[in-house]
Amino acid sequence: KAGVTQTPRYLIKTRGQQVTLSCSPISGHRSVSWYQQTPGQGLQFLFEYFSETQRNKGNFPGRFSGRQFSNSRSEMNVSTLELGDSALYLCASRGDSPIAKNIQYFGAGTRLSVL
Amino acid sequence: AQSVTQLGSHVSVSEGALVLLRCNYSSSVPPYLFWYVQYPNQGLQLLLKYTSAATLVKGINGFEAEFKKSETSFHLTKPSAHMSDAAEYFCAVSEPGNTPLVFGKGTRLSVIA
């Protein structure tokens, strides 16, 4: 079974631009979560999508948004980029049966650099 | 609210020595607990999980962790460190149900030859 796939792996943008990151979950997984990892703040939860609906949301500004498609692939968008948005963005997927026990599987991440 | 505290941002051990990475958690309900490992320029790989079954949990690469409710701890151990264990380790907690993971700040493990 293929794992979680994130594209692209690296991105360089300038302040004020917007960016879109993509995530394909493990086959059969309908839940996709996004996390931001920075040296200062560590790993922070952005949001989770399940069956094309946002199910949970972290404490990030509205510049951070996401969506999920019918095939469970998810995209994350950041508008009006700031220097502080430079981070590794990780996507995770999980199964939705009780036996899945909230176990999340992560992709390799997209490293975003904002200049 | 849930929280995780990992004691020691950097731990250094000799090859062949015991690895002990500490994790304490806070949760208002019986938690699910996880350890993840991150190698440079990679994502997070699940090492092991506690989901209310056996309190001593065995994971991959010879790691194990013990859930101690009275101490609210979930420390990660490995009897003998290998050079390939050098990485960053994250402890995480979640509540049963569709809740996000809450991570500790991470512990960087160095292994000295």
Side-chain angles (χ1 to χ4, degrees):
Chain A
K1 224 178 201 184
V4 178
T5 303
Q6 292 188 246
T7 57
R9 289 293 314 276
Y10 302 93
L11 269 175
I12 300 175
K13 293 286 185 179
T14 56
R15 277 180 299 174
Q17 287 187 310
Q18 75 164 11
V19 67
T20 299
L21 285 53
S22 179
C23 172
S24 293
I26 291 172
S27 178
H29 286 187
R30 293 189 290 168
S31 165
V32 174
S33 296
W34 289 88
Y35 293 81
Q36 182 196 63
Q37 184 178 22
T38 60
Q41 299 299 317
L43 282 150
Q44 294 184 287
F45 171 72
L46 281 153
F47 31 65
E48 179 195 9
Y49 284 86
F50 177 79
S51 290
E52 302 180 66
T53 301
Q54 189 178 86
R55 182 158 70 176
N56 286 301
K57 188 178 187 306
N59 189 26
F60 276 80
R63 299 185 297 107
F64 293 82
S65 62
R67 59 177 176 169
Q68 187 178 33
F69 302 95
S70 58
N71 62 356
S72 294
R73 190 178 70 86
S74 176
E75 287 182 348
M76 187 192 114
N77 184 273
V78 188
S79 63
T80 319
L81 284 166
E82 301 177 359
L83 294 179
D85 297 333
S86 294
L88 180 66
Y89 290 89
L90 292 164
C91 168
S93 75
R94 60 178 167 176
D96 49 72
S97 68
I99 202 169
K101 301 283 190 180
N102 212 11
I103 298 167
Q104 300 199 29
Y105 299 92
F106 285 80
T110 295
R111 184 163 297 281
L112 172 65
S113 297
V114 182
L115 306 178
Chain B
Q2 301 163 286
S3 66
V4 174
T5 301
Q6 290 185 240
L7 288 174
S9 59
H10 183 210
V11 170
S12 186
V13 301
S14 298
E15 192 173 20
L18 171 73
V19 175
L20 170 61
L21 304 182
R22 300 179 186 272
C23 171
N24 288 89
Y25 70 92
S26 163
S27 177
S28 58
V29 299
Y32 290 157
L33 292 159
F34 307 86
W35 275 99
Y36 285 87
V37 61
Q38 185 176 36
Y39 298 99
N41 298 317
Q42 294 189 26
L44 301 176
Q45 180 183 7
L46 180 66
L47 268 180
L48 48 78
K49 59 192 181 292
Y50 166 77
T51 57
S52 76
T55 56
L56 182 61
V57 180
K58 294 189 184 299
I60 61 172
N61 301 338
F63 284 94
E64 63 181 37
E66 186 172 8
F67 172 67
K68 291 188 176 181
K69 183 179 178 181
S70 61
E71 299 176 8
T72 60
S73 69
F74 191 57
H75 302 331
L76 181 70
T77 61
K78 182 175 180 176
S80 177
H82 191 272
M83 297 297 288
S84 61
D85 295 327
E88 184 121 25
Y89 292 79
F90 293 92
C91 182
V93 64
S94 76
E95 296 180 355
N98 302 315
T99 59
L101 294 172
V102 175
F103 287 89
K105 292 292 189 184
T107 297
R108 184 164 61 90
L109 175 67
S110 297
V111 182
I112 304 167

